[in-house]
Each structure stands twice: as C-alpha cells, then as structure tokens.
Amino acid sequence: HVTYAYTVSDSQVGGSSACRDAIRAGHAWIESSFQAGNLTAVTERFGLPAGGLEKPDQRIAFAASGVANFPAQENDPLCAEEACNIAKVCHVMTNKSLGDEVTRLVHLRKLQNISLFPQVGQLHLARSRGEASSLALGLQGVYQKEAELPDFWFYQTCKEFGFYQTCLGHGGCMFVRDLANASFYADGCMKQFNISLEDVQNNIDATNYHYGGLEPLDDKGQLGRCVMFPNGQVDPWSIQGILQAPSKDLPALMVPGASHHAWTWPSRPGDQESVMTARTSIRQQAEAFLRRDCSEDGLDRKDGKTPLLRWVLVGAAALLLAAVAAACLVRRCRRPRRSPPLLPSQTLSLQNR
C-alpha cells in the first residue's frame, strides 16, 4: 500500500505514477545488482562502508523497506524538513536534472541525513537480532525513544496484530523485492519475548476472533453497533481496515489523502480539507451515537429507546389505565339504579339489523 500512496496526487499528498515508477526503477537496479552478487557496485554507488552489505540482514535493513525514508503511515503534508513527506520525496524522485533514478535515491538519502541504513531498516535489524534499540515505531513514524522503555509496538505485533509489511515479488512493491518475508520480521518475537512464530500466528487469529476481523460479529453471530471505522487513504493500515459499512449502525469513512488517523492530530492552519471534513463527520457521528442506546441490551431493539425510557413509558401507560378505571368506577357509583333486565320472552333479537 506504500506503493499506492506514492501515486495519490490530490488532497495535498503530491504523489504521482511517475514518482512511483522512479522509486521502483532505482530499487530495481539495486535488486538486479544483489541478484548478480555485485554488492560492490551498490556499496560504491551509495557511499557505504566496505562490507556493509555482506550479510543478508544488512541488505534487508538497507533496501527491503526502501533505501531512504518513504513516509506513508506518518505522511504529514505540512512538515517543514527536507524530503519529509510524499510530495517532497516525489519532488526529488521526479527531478531528472539530478541524474538517473539511482542518483536521485542517493540525493534523497543525503537530504534525509542517511549514512548507512534508513531508520526503519535500523529498527528491523535490531529487532531481528533481538537487540535493544533507541528507535521505536510510533503513530508518526520511527522516532528516538527513552532508553529504558521497551519496544511496546513490536510486542503488540507479537501478541496481537502481526502487521509485518513485506516487499514480495508478486505484489508490485516499489522497493527491493523478496529480501525478507514475514517470518524474518517476526523472528525477533522469539528472541525478545520468547514468542514463537506459531504463537504469533495464533495470537493474530485470536485477535481477529475477538474483534471480528473484517466482519465484527459477537459470539452469537450478531453485528455490533455504535462503532465508526475511519481510515486514511495513504495509510498502509487501511488495507486491514473495515472499508465497507457492515450496517447502518457501523458506519465506515475513508478520508481522502489522509495518513494514519490524521484527524486526531491537533488542528493546524493549512490542514487538509479532507481531514477537517472528517473531523466534523466523526464528531457528528459520535454525538449521534451518544443520543442512542448503544448498550448490548439495545442490540435487539430497533426503535433506539433506552431501557429507562421504555420503563417510564410503560409506567405512564399503567398509571393512565389505572386513572381511567378509577374514573369509570366513580361514574358507575353515581348512576341511578337501572330497571330490571328484560325477561327472556321480552328479549329483542338483533338478527337482520
């Protein structure tokens, strides 16, 4: 999905098919060099230290997720640094005056101050080796964390979610393909947390069972209610999200051009119009949910009335009936005594009337 993100041009994203193709062309040269065993050519072209690509995990760290930083999940159209978002990366990668696509990748790395491995590559390398790292992956990309804190997100991938982003040959990935599979990225689960690859898969299955996966059903096979599923167009997480509303009580929202829940960031001048619109839609939907009965007891009710309101209405109806009955009794007591009923021979027939 990162590849797709770099083709999105509107909503202040600034990608294009030409940008995607240029990124792929540069990585294709690296890929063919690796396959030919010509590591020296890559090392010299990118100014890497001798022997920096000798080991398979070094090549994975260098190129499996891109030889530079390619933000998508954390894409910020308003970032100020050089080559810090999709638009700025694409400005470099489509600039033919810089040279061929490989040279543009080299230039991009310089703008991002990358000397050996990109930050995400450094993080993957440390995880796969079971080593502590000062880096962590958060909502807005890779960042420097406090040394004493564990890698919370990586633990969650092992215990709950998986979500190891691979670059396989058949998927159209624009980076160097088939360097690493999901097993490589999950290998650190055993080294750091003693969680085997089989356990990782079982944990993912359990998470999907608990939350319902792409069809959020409870243990009785019923859909829930009062949950909204927003996704951002350039967010890689969106491919694992609920994109079609399972019911009117479970609405879905796709936010054009948005990265990972960009609508929850603090509002800023110049925010994407699509994100501002999404904030309004989400707020209105939340307010609508709060006006409804969203409890489990309300799943079988279609009228939206809360249990308290229903009991109030039942009580009011009972009081009204009691009042009517009492009024009738009082009226009966005040009536004059009636004449005795007719004898059978005097009874009138209602036939043919």
Side-chain angles (χ1 to χ4, degrees), residues 27 30 42-43 45-49 53 58-59 61-63 65-70 82-83 89 92-93 98 101-119 121-122:
H27 285 88
I30 301 169
V42 180
T43 299
R45 191 79 185 264
F46 284 86
L48 306 178
L53 299 176
Q58 292 175 320
R59 295 193 288 277
F62 175 68
S65 298
V67 298
N69 296 323
F70 293 93
E82 292 187 291
V89 168
V92 173
M93 292 306 303
L98 295 174
E101 293 87 353
V102 179
T103 303
R104 293 174 219 168
L105 287 176
V106 173
H107 183 72
L108 181 63
R109 285 167 55 89
K110 289 180 179 178
L111 292 177
Q112 296 177 343
N113 296 314
I114 300 172
S115 57
L116 182 54
F117 304 138
Q119 284 188 321
Q122 295 177 43

Side-chain angles (χ1 to χ4, degrees), residues 188-251:
C189 295
M190 173 60 77
K191 295 176 180 176
Q192 292 193 40
F193 310 116
N194 199 33
I195 301 173
S196 68
L197 182 61
E198 181 181 1
D199 288 336
V200 172
Q201 183 61 62
N202 290 336
N203 293 337
I204 295 170
D205 293 340
T207 299
N208 283 328
Y209 177 79
H210 178 75
Y211 292 105
L214 295 178
E215 192 173 15
L217 303 173
D218 64 13
D219 54 2
K220 299 178 182 177
Q222 293 181 311
L223 285 170
R225 63 192 301 169
C226 299
V227 176
M228 189 179 194
F229 300 96
N231 281 283
Q233 184 184 11
V234 303
D235 179 16
W237 274 101
S238 64
I239 61 173
Q240 297 294 333
I242 294 176
L243 306 181
Q244 298 294 327
S247 74
K248 62 182 180 63
D249 295 322
L250 296 170

